[in-house]
Amino acid sequence: MMSQQPVLLPYGDPAFVADPFPLYRRLREDGPVRRAVIAGGLDAWLVTRYEDGLAALFDPRLSSDVRDASDPRLIEQLPEFERDSMMSNMLRSDPPDHTRLRRLVSKAFTARRVAELRPRIQEITDRLLDAVVPAGRADLVADFALPLPVTVISELLGVPVDDRHDFQRWTDAMLMRGERMPDPAVVNEAWQRMHAYVTKHLETKRAQPGDDLLSALISAHDDEQRLNDDELIAMTFLLLVAGYVTTVNLIGGGIAALLAHPDQLALLRDRPELLPDAIEEFLRYDGPVSPGIARFAREDVEIAGVTVPRGATVLVASAIADRDPARFPDPDRLDITRRDNGHLAFGHGIRYCLGAPLARLEGQIAIGTVLRRLPDLALAVPPAELRWRPGGLRGPVRLPVTFTSFGAPAA
């Protein structure tokens, strides 16, 4: 019988934050559904095994709308910008609203638009590396993984070059966690400034559309339905929340994983064609969301023989399920040649991450270019001194590296 006493996920313990997987493994072995106290002191039910997690992501009784949760703290603890956009946020909506929003956004955020970004992402990547090459050392988070995706998102949204410094500063204040949780007052001030800017930017794009995603979102329609202003603003912030921090963590975490596994680093240098498989393995092995994806029970729901009560928070614990030995052979080993890699890092079903192709593209270009241009890349500190972000979103806070040789930019 599974214990119903909640286990505490100790986000205040640096050892757990640096390596949560021993505890995650014990939780999975303890039972398929496990009550836990997560970040913010909130109670949740962790779905710890792969097949149960996959089924939960398809279960219509599990809502994405936080208003279905019985614990009011879930809304109270959200930053102001998330509370304000809750009614219009595709990430937190259910059908039929989610269906309409996703259909309209998909008309603008196409595979072709993402593919056309490749040369520009490569150019930004090389420019960022050019800036650190003379020093022979860098923080690959602050100097590289942070500015790359926010620059890409700025260009996607048509943010003028002169505004991008403020745009990144506000985004960082709202979203980026260091070793401590951010000050709510600082987050809310950044949100007010960003909201005012995006509202004005939206007016400009409506009057003078360009060849950018925001202009395409404004014009996207389906049977005369369009995104209203609140939905357009919410979509802008969804791009920042879902497309910025997670990509930072994918790039920083992927490079950190390679530096911690010299055999895999050497293999990827020798066989760069393995890069797409390597990206999937980084997402499975130590993905940018931990422990997983939140849902809220609309009614009593039985999961793997355990009854989860109505209003409960359910965490489909992708970080735990993606190391389930029943699904992945030798799951605690980083293996960039792994092929059958249907991880849950991007979710599944109707809410599968719309930005996954862009995240994969940025990860491949960023990590591939670092390996090609910095052939003797090495950590500048012992691995044990790396610090990781606490709670919810996982990635290194800093990634100090050294190098003595470097290659030329892409032709």
Side-chain angles (χ1 to χ4, degrees):
M1 175 67 70
M2 182 190 70
S3 169
Q4 292 301 310
Q5 184 66 30
V7 65
L8 174 67
L9 299 188
Y11 290 108
D13 179 357
F16 170 77
V17 174
D19 183 10
F21 295 102
L23 177 57
Y24 286 173
R25 181 169 55 251
R26 291 197 297 272
L27 291 175
R28 187 179 59 245
E29 292 169 351
D30 188 46
V33 181
R34 188 68 164 87
R35 284 183 64 196
V37 178
I38 59 173
L42 300 170
D43 189 78
W45 297 72
L46 303 182
V47 182
T48 63
R49 298 179 185 173
Y50 182 90
E51 290 301 331
D52 300 318
L54 185 62
L57 290 173
F58 284 95
D59 194 328
R61 298 171 298 173
L62 297 177
S63 168
S64 291
D65 190 337
V66 70
R67 292 169 297 175
D68 286 323
S70 58
D71 189 341
R73 293 178 300 166
L74 279 160
I75 294 178
E76 293 166 1
Q77 292 187 12
L78 287 174
E80 183 179 336
F81 70 91
E82 290 200 59
R83 291 198 302 270
D84 284 0
S85 66
M86 199 159 49
M87 298 289 289
S88 309
N89 189 330
M90 188 172 68
L91 195 64
R92 295 191 182 277
S93 65
D94 294 316
D97 290 339
H98 175 271
T99 306
R100 181 183 67 86
L101 290 169
R102 188 177 180 101
R103 185 172 60 242
L104 286 169
V105 170
S106 296
K107 288 178 175 294
F109 198 39
T110 61
R112 176 183 173 184
R113 183 178 293 276
V114 171
E116 288 173 347
L117 290 170
R118 178 179 286 275
R120 181 60 182 140
I121 295 173
Q122 184 66 65
E123 183 181 343
I124 297 167
T125 297
D126 282 320
R127 176 172 55 79
L128 290 170
L129 289 179
D130 285 343
V132 301
V133 157
R137 60 189 305 115
D139 175 355
L140 285 184
V141 172
D143 299 330
F144 183 65
L146 273 169
L148 174 58
V150 78
T151 302
V152 172
I153 291 172
S154 297
E155 297 197 356
L156 265 176
L157 295 173
V159 176
V161 173
D162 291 346
D163 295 342
R164 288 180 189 170
H165 175 74
D166 286 339
F167 192 83
Q168 179 170 352
R169 181 165 55 86
W170 298 328
T171 302
D172 287 348
M174 289 166 55
L175 301 175
M176 294 311 303
R177 294 174 180 170
E179 294 176 54
R180 296 179 178 84
M181 302 300 278
D183 181 346
V186 174
V187 173
N188 287 334
E189 180 184 359
W191 152 244
Q192 295 294 342
R193 292 179 181 275
M194 180 68 90
H195 187 279
Y197 178 84
V198 171
T199 301
K200 183 178 179 181
H201 186 54
L202 191 59
E203 294 173 358
T204 301
K205 286 297 173 184
R206 184 170 278 116
Q208 300 174 325
D211 184 22
D212 55 76
L213 178 62
L214 187 56
S215 297
L217 287 170
I218 291 169
S219 65
H221 62 87
D222 187 7
D223 296 328
E224 300 308 316
Q225 290 186 338
R226 296 179 184 270
L227 298 170
N228 62 39
D229 282 3
D230 288 340
E231 290 165 347
L232 286 164
I233 291 171
M235 187 59 205
T236 299
F237 284 97
L238 178 56
L239 279 170
L240 292 172
V241 172
Y244 178 33
V245 186
T246 52
T247 305
V248 172
N249 290 344
L250 169 59
I251 296 169
I255 295 172
L258 287 172
L259 291 173
H261 296 83
D263 61 323
Q264 298 298 290
L265 175 60
L267 178 60
L268 190 53
R269 288 191 190 281
D270 289 343
R271 296 182 58 192
E273 72 275 9
L274 289 175
L275 190 54
D277 292 328
I279 295 296
E280 301 309 309
E281 181 68 347
F282 301 148
L283 289 162
R284 181 204 69 84
Y285 178 79
D286 194 357
V289 177
S290 179
I293 303 163
R295 295 287 186 264
F296 310 99
R298 288 175 165 164
E299 57 187 77
D300 291 356
V301 179
E302 184 175 306
I303 303 175
V306 176
T307 299
V308 176
R310 176 184 178 185
T313 299
V314 176
L315 270 183
V316 179
S318 52
I320 306 177
D322 280 342
R323 292 200 185 194
D324 184 348
R327 174 61 179 83
F328 300 101
D330 201 3
D332 293 322
R333 181 170 67 91
L334 182 73
D335 178 8
I336 65 169
T337 66
R338 195 184 300 269
R339 291 299 177 90
D340 182 16
N341 201 344
H343 58 75
L344 303 180
F346 287 134
H348 260 282
I350 63 171
R351 296 185 185 86
Y352 185 78
C353 178
L354 197 63
L358 178 58
R360 288 184 167 111
L361 180 61
E362 289 183 80
Q364 289 177 26
I365 292 173
I367 295 174
T369 304
V370 165
L371 298 187
R372 179 177 57 79
R373 295 198 62 190
L374 306 177
D376 62 349
L377 183 73
L379 275 177
V381 298
E385 292 185 13
L386 291 180
R387 296 293 178 261
W388 297 75
R389 305 184 198 286
L393 296 169
R394 175 167 170 78
V397 177
R398 290 175 292 278
L399 190 59
V401 297
T402 59
F403 43 87
T404 58
S405 61
F406 48 90

